[in-house]
Amino acid sequence: IYLIYRGAAMCYDYGYRIFMEPAVSEGEGRTVTVTITEDMSAADIGDLFEQEGLVEDSTLFMLQYYLSEYRRDVKPGVFELNTAMTAEEMMAAMASSDAEDETGEAS
């Protein structure tokens, strides 16, 4: 019974974090420049973001990506993201039409 309870509690916590995960840092945060290429998967982007300190859990970011309204709109390019941004705000920034492509030109 205890294992079922702990398992259910962990699943609830993870499910809650998918939709309510706060930014990594509060206040102004730290700006990080990341390059997203066309061949990167959501898991690759999550791993990159975790390495750069933009998210705490790459798997959680991947789930947030697949459940977001931006999953088909994220474009490759160079993005300046901040540790004070939520995952949804980062995806919105990567989906914006004024993003720079890999050559640094506005699209």
Side-chain angles (χ1 to χ4, degrees):
I1 292 175
Y2 177 75
L3 291 177
I4 292 172
Y5 171 77
R6 290 295 301 154
M10 284 189 337
C11 289
Y12 174 81
D13 179 55
Y14 213 70
Y16 181 80
R17 288 178 54 204
I18 288 174
F19 298 103
M20 303 302 291
E21 182 77 1
V24 171
S25 61
E26 296 178 11
E28 291 184 31
R30 176 177 56 89
T31 301
V32 177
T33 302
V34 294
T35 301
I36 306 300
T37 59
E38 202 166 307
D39 62 333
M40 290 178 86
S41 67
D44 296 333
I45 296 170
D47 289 339
L48 173 65
F49 285 8
E50 186 174 10
Q51 289 171 2
E52 295 294 335
L54 292 167
V55 298
E56 292 181 7
D57 185 341
S58 62
T59 304
L60 181 65
F61 176 83
M62 181 181 66
L63 292 171
Q64 290 169 324
Y65 175 84
Y66 284 125
L67 294 172
S68 79
E69 62 188 69
Y70 301 107
R71 88 180 157 127
R72 298 195 193 281
D73 300 328
V74 171
K75 298 176 176 80
V78 178
F79 303 96
E80 292 210 3
L81 304 174
N82 193 297
T83 57
M85 297 171 83
T86 64
E88 186 171 357
E89 291 169 334
M90 288 184 234
M91 287 182 271
M94 293 186 301
S96 68
S97 61
D98 60 343
E100 292 183 358
D101 64 18
E102 290 181 40
T103 62
E105 300 171 1
S107 54

